[in-house]
CSV table of all heavy atoms in Angstrom, one decimal:
chain,number,residue,atom,x,y,z
E,146,PRO,N,99.5,84.5,149.9
E,146,PRO,CA,99.9,84.3,148.5
E,146,PRO,C,101.2,85.0,148.1
E,146,PRO,O,102.0,84.5,147.4
E,146,PRO,CB,98.7,84.8,147.7
E,146,PRO,CG,97.6,84.6,148.6
E,146,PRO,CD,98.1,84.9,150.0
E,147,LEU,N,101.3,86.3,148.6
E,147,LEU,CA,102.5,87.0,148.3
E,147,LEU,C,103.8,86.4,148.9
E,147,LEU,O,104.8,86.3,148.3
E,147,LEU,CB,102.4,88.5,148.9
E,147,LEU,CG,103.6,89.3,148.7
E,147,LEU,CD1,104.0,89.6,147.2
E,147,LEU,CD2,103.5,90.7,149.4
E,149,GLY,N,104.3,83.3,149.5
E,149,GLY,CA,104.6,82.1,148.7
E,149,GLY,C,105.3,82.5,147.4
E,149,GLY,O,106.3,81.9,146.9
E,150,ALA,N,104.8,83.6,146.8
E,150,ALA,CA,105.5,84.1,145.6
E,150,ALA,C,106.9,84.6,145.8
E,150,ALA,O,107.8,84.4,145.0
E,150,ALA,CB,104.6,85.3,145.0
E,151,LEU,N,107.1,85.3,146.9
E,151,LEU,CA,108.4,85.8,147.2
E,151,LEU,C,109.4,84.6,147.5
E,151,LEU,O,110.5,84.6,147.1
E,151,LEU,CB,108.4,86.7,148.5
E,151,LEU,CG,107.7,88.1,148.2
E,151,LEU,CD1,107.7,88.8,149.6
E,151,LEU,CD2,108.4,88.9,147.2
E,194,ARG,N,108.3,90.7,139.0
E,194,ARG,CA,107.0,91.2,139.0
E,194,ARG,C,106.0,90.2,138.3
E,194,ARG,O,104.9,90.0,138.7
E,194,ARG,CB,107.0,92.6,138.3
E,194,ARG,CG,107.4,93.7,139.2
E,194,ARG,CD,107.5,95.0,138.4
E,194,ARG,NE,107.6,96.2,139.2
E,194,ARG,CZ,108.0,97.3,138.7
E,194,ARG,NH1,108.3,97.5,137.4
E,194,ARG,NH2,108.2,98.4,139.5
E,195,ARG,N,106.6,89.7,137.2
E,195,ARG,CA,105.7,88.7,136.4
E,195,ARG,C,105.4,87.5,137.2
E,195,ARG,O,104.2,87.1,137.3
E,195,ARG,CB,106.4,88.3,135.1
E,195,ARG,CG,105.6,87.4,134.2
E,195,ARG,CD,106.3,86.9,133.0
E,195,ARG,NE,107.4,85.9,133.4
E,195,ARG,CZ,108.7,86.2,133.3
E,195,ARG,NH1,109.1,87.3,133.0
E,195,ARG,NH2,109.5,85.2,133.6
E,196,LYS,N,106.3,87.0,137.9
E,196,LYS,CA,106.1,85.8,138.8
E,196,LYS,C,105.1,86.1,139.9
E,196,LYS,O,104.3,85.3,140.2
E,196,LYS,CB,107.4,85.2,139.3
E,196,LYS,CG,108.3,84.6,138.2
E,196,LYS,CD,109.5,84.0,138.7
E,196,LYS,CE,110.4,83.3,137.6
E,196,LYS,NZ,111.6,82.8,138.1
E,197,VAL,N,105.3,87.2,140.5
E,197,VAL,CA,104.4,87.6,141.6
E,197,VAL,C,103.0,87.9,141.1
E,197,VAL,O,102.0,87.4,141.7
E,197,VAL,CB,105.0,88.8,142.4
E,197,VAL,CG1,104.0,89.4,143.4
E,197,VAL,CG2,106.3,88.5,143.1
E,198,ARG,N,103.0,88.5,140.0
E,198,ARG,CA,101.7,88.8,139.4
E,198,ARG,C,100.9,87.5,139.0
E,198,ARG,O,99.7,87.3,139.3
E,198,ARG,CB,101.8,89.6,138.1
E,198,ARG,CG,100.5,90.1,137.5
E,198,ARG,CD,100.8,90.9,136.2
E,198,ARG,NE,101.5,92.1,136.4
E,198,ARG,CZ,102.8,92.3,136.0
E,198,ARG,NH1,103.4,91.3,135.3
E,198,ARG,NH2,103.4,93.4,136.2
E,199,GLU,N,101.7,86.5,138.5
E,199,GLU,CA,101.1,85.2,138.2
E,199,GLU,C,100.6,84.5,139.5
E,199,GLU,O,99.5,83.9,139.5
E,199,GLU,CB,102.1,84.3,137.5
E,199,GLU,CG,102.4,84.8,136.0
E,199,GLU,CD,103.5,84.1,135.4
E,199,GLU,OE1,104.2,83.3,136.1
E,199,GLU,OE2,103.8,84.3,134.2
E,200,ALA,N,101.4,84.6,140.5
E,200,ALA,CA,101.0,84.0,141.8
E,200,ALA,C,99.8,84.6,142.4
E,200,ALA,O,99.0,83.9,143.1
E,200,ALA,CB,102.2,84.0,142.8
E,201,LEU,N,99.6,85.9,142.2
E,201,LEU,CA,98.5,86.6,142.7
E,201,LEU,C,97.4,86.9,141.7
E,201,LEU,O,96.5,87.7,142.0
E,201,LEU,CB,99.0,88.0,143.3
E,201,LEU,CG,100.1,87.9,144.3
E,201,LEU,CD1,100.5,89.3,144.8
E,201,LEU,CD2,99.7,87.1,145.5
E,202,SER,N,97.4,86.1,140.7
E,202,SER,CA,96.4,86.4,139.6
E,202,SER,C,95.0,86.2,140.0
E,202,SER,O,94.1,86.7,139.3
E,202,SER,CB,96.8,85.5,138.4
E,202,SER,OG,96.7,84.2,138.7
E,203,THR,N,94.8,85.5,141.0
E,203,THR,CA,93.4,85.3,141.5
E,203,THR,C,92.8,86.5,142.2
E,203,THR,O,91.6,86.5,142.4
E,203,THR,CB,93.3,84.0,142.4
E,203,THR,OG1,94.2,84.3,143.5
E,203,THR,CG2,93.7,82.8,141.7
E,204,ASP,N,93.6,87.5,142.5
E,204,ASP,CA,93.1,88.6,143.2
E,204,ASP,C,93.4,89.9,142.3
E,204,ASP,O,94.5,90.4,142.2
E,204,ASP,CB,93.9,88.8,144.5
E,204,ASP,CG,93.2,89.9,145.4
E,204,ASP,OD1,92.6,90.8,144.8
E,204,ASP,OD2,93.3,89.8,146.6
E,208,THR,N,96.9,92.4,141.2
E,208,THR,CA,97.5,92.4,139.9
E,208,THR,C,97.5,93.8,139.3
E,208,THR,O,98.4,94.2,138.7
E,208,THR,CB,96.8,91.4,139.0
E,208,THR,OG1,95.4,91.7,139.0
E,208,THR,CG2,97.0,90.0,139.4
Side-chain angles (χ1 to χ4, degrees):
L147 176 63
L151 292 176
R194 280 175 169 164
R195 184 184 70 251
K196 290 181 177 179
V197 171
R198 187 182 298 112
E199 291 171 354
L201 303 179
S202 60
T203 57
D204 189 333
T208 55

